[in-house]
Amino acid sequence: MKIAVLFGGTSTEHEISLRTGTFISKTLSSMGHSVKPILISRDGRWVIPKEYRPEFPEGNSKNPEEYLKEFEELHSTNAGIFSSLDCDVAFLGLHGTSGEDGSVQGFLKVLGIPFTGSDVKASALAMDKIRANRLFQLAGMSVAPFWELRKKEYSENPTSVENSGLEYPLFLKPVEGGSSFHTFRIEGPEDLRKRLPEFFDAEEHAILQKFLKGTEVSCGVWEKKEGSKRILEALPPTEIIPGGEFFDVESKYKPGLSQEITPARLPEKIISKIQEQSILAHKTLGCEGYSRTDFIIVGETPFVLETNTLPGMTETSLIPQQAKAAGIPIQTLYQSLIDQALERAGKIPVG
């Protein structure tokens, strides 16, 4: 098949997406598909190869400018997006805003191009931590107490945040964002007053959420094909032991700083709860294809943190780790995502 892999993007997770997109492209190429890697630069430019060639930069993905230059030198590119996408399906390797929030999904849907992962509505809901948390609560899931704050409200009344009623310590996080960028642990009111101006220099919308002390766990879900039906199957959850005070950007991506143990070292009763809740989160938001939900386990209760509709897909990412632990080849998972995208678009018959 002719598969376009979209990666990079304009979000703070650009660098991580470079790793995801490169890994996806190489894996799909090894499966025999014709791959067209489409790199979206940090300033929103689409760098689209004219031909299908399984060649990928070997440069340092931690330097996006260097990666972009090497990519452009490697590929003869075409600036006409509508004519040059030319693919059977788009495999999304994007993360964060403008990639995971329904924007690109809507763009591809208008063009009539099948794409992997969740549709527009589920992508937008999952990306919005406030709305997602409210839906999780309605579904009967446990959620840490939270409070919403917008930049405009803060600018007009900076002291209003002190009346939130939340207990300290708490976390200050972007409502839309991932990989723990611009995420801070706040110890008290004075700490919050210092952090908010810095936070709102980069973000428009904040969620303040009570800190819960417990075990951090993440669990993937995929839609397994059985005959003419698709069955939701939860993967073995991963236990995360952060190298710092929480699973921040450095803990997530600096090798050896954190431990990720798959399957999680938890009683079977708790594992089952986590898997059931991951499937419930997937269904509550209307996700498709696959997702990954993060939890804090307090006692025997999983508190849901967030659901990712386009989770990381590098060699060391959690979903590939969990698929391996379940005995599912990554190629099987990828092909399932491609088939699901085509079925949703009515491109191939179900069954």
Side-chain angles (χ1 to χ4, degrees):
M1 296 184 65
K2 294 163 71 176
I3 302 177
V5 177
L6 273 60
F7 69 121
T10 59
S11 81
T12 53
E13 297 178 77
H14 178 93
E15 181 183 307
I16 298 145
S17 181
L18 295 183
R19 304 181 210 173
T20 288
T22 301
F23 180 70
I24 289 172
S25 297
K26 290 182 176 180
T27 302
L28 292 174
S29 181
S30 73
M31 293 165 63
H33 295 296
S34 296
V35 178
K36 181 185 284 189
I38 296 176
L39 174 57
I40 302 174
S41 70
R42 275 182 157 162
D43 60 3
R45 188 157 51 94
W46 289 46
V47 185
I48 307 175
K50 289 182 179 178
E51 302 170 349
Y52 278 85
R53 295 179 301 173
E55 299 176 50
F56 315 100
E58 297 294 339
N60 183 0
S61 66
K62 292 185 178 180
N63 185 328
E65 287 71 30
E66 177 187 312
Y67 193 100
L68 174 62
K69 181 180 179 182
E70 189 175 343
F71 191 93
E72 289 183 307
E73 290 174 352
L74 188 63
H75 296 288
S76 173
T77 60
N78 189 334
I81 290 179
F82 295 97
S83 61
S84 57
L85 282 177
D86 176 36
C87 62
D88 298 312
V89 63
F91 202 115
L92 300 186
L94 297 162
H95 304 308
T97 50
S98 299
E100 196 170 351
D101 62 359
S103 301
V104 165
Q105 289 82 353
F107 174 66
L108 294 172
K109 199 164 187 176
V110 168
L111 295 182
I113 296 173
F115 54 89
T116 57
S118 294
D119 212 336
V120 179
K121 187 183 296 184
S123 299
L125 284 172
M127 197 67 187
D128 187 325
K129 295 182 181 69
I130 297 289
R131 274 77 209 163
N133 276 342
R134 288 175 180 160
L135 287 173
F136 293 149
Q137 288 176 320
L138 289 172
M141 303 177 75
S142 297
V143 175
F146 62 93
W147 193 68
E148 181 178 15
L149 181 65
R150 294 182 183 274
K151 183 176 182 177
K152 185 174 184 294
E153 296 166 0
Y154 170 72
S155 299
E156 293 173 351
N157 187 7
T159 61
S160 65
V161 69
E162 297 172 25
N163 302 318
S164 65
L166 287 176
E167 299 175 17
Y168 294 92
L170 53 80
F171 279 107
L172 169 64
K173 301 184 286 189
V175 168
E176 296 188 358
S179 291
S180 299
F181 283 101
H182 303 145
T183 295
F184 305 99
R185 175 171 162 155
I186 306 297
E187 299 299 332
E190 186 176 342
D191 190 16
L192 183 60
R193 282 194 293 271
K194 289 179 180 178
R195 283 290 188 186
L196 280 173
E198 175 189 353
F199 178 89
F200 282 125
D201 278 344
E203 302 287 345
E204 296 289 327
H205 198 182
I207 177 173
L208 296 160
Q209 195 157 30
K210 181 181 177 181
F211 167 76
L212 296 178
K213 186 174 179 58
T215 302
E216 186 159 351
V217 173
S218 189
C219 185
V221 170
W222 74 302
E223 295 185 11
K224 180 180 179 180
K225 190 72 176 288
E226 289 188 358
S228 60
K229 296 181 179 179
R230 286 190 171 272
I231 309 297
L232 289 178
E233 180 180 302
L235 298 170
T238 300
E239 177 185 353
I240 298 164
I241 304 174
E245 61 181 2
F246 68 98
F247 201 38
D248 59 8
V249 177
E250 188 176 24
S251 292
K252 286 181 178 180
Y253 301 109
K254 186 174 181 179
L257 193 57
S258 294
Q259 292 184 60
E260 296 168 358
I261 303 166
T262 309
R265 303 169 302 176
L266 294 167
E268 188 56 41
K269 177 181 173 183
I270 306 298
I271 295 286
S272 295
K273 278 187 182 180
I274 293 165
Q275 292 178 317
E276 289 167 5
Q277 294 277 286
S278 296
I279 290 174
L280 179 57
H282 185 99
K283 293 168 70 174
T284 296
L285 296 173
C287 298
E288 297 174 78
Y290 68 150
S291 68
R292 199 197 76 225
T293 299
D294 302 334
F295 300 89
I296 289 289
I297 314 302
V298 182
E300 295 187 351
T301 303
F303 283 80
V304 63
L305 297 176
E306 64 178 277
T307 294
N308 301 274
T309 54
L310 290 178
M313 277 290 188
T314 68
E315 299 94 324
T316 57
S317 295
L318 298 182
I319 288 279
Q321 283 186 45
Q322 294 170 9
K324 183 178 180 180
I328 303 166
I330 195 67
Q331 293 85 355
T332 299
L333 182 58
Y334 279 18
Q335 192 60 50
S336 174
L337 292 172
I338 293 165
D339 292 345
Q340 179 264 331
L342 293 169
E343 287 173 12
R344 180 175 57 203
K347 301 290 186 179
I348 59 174
V350 177

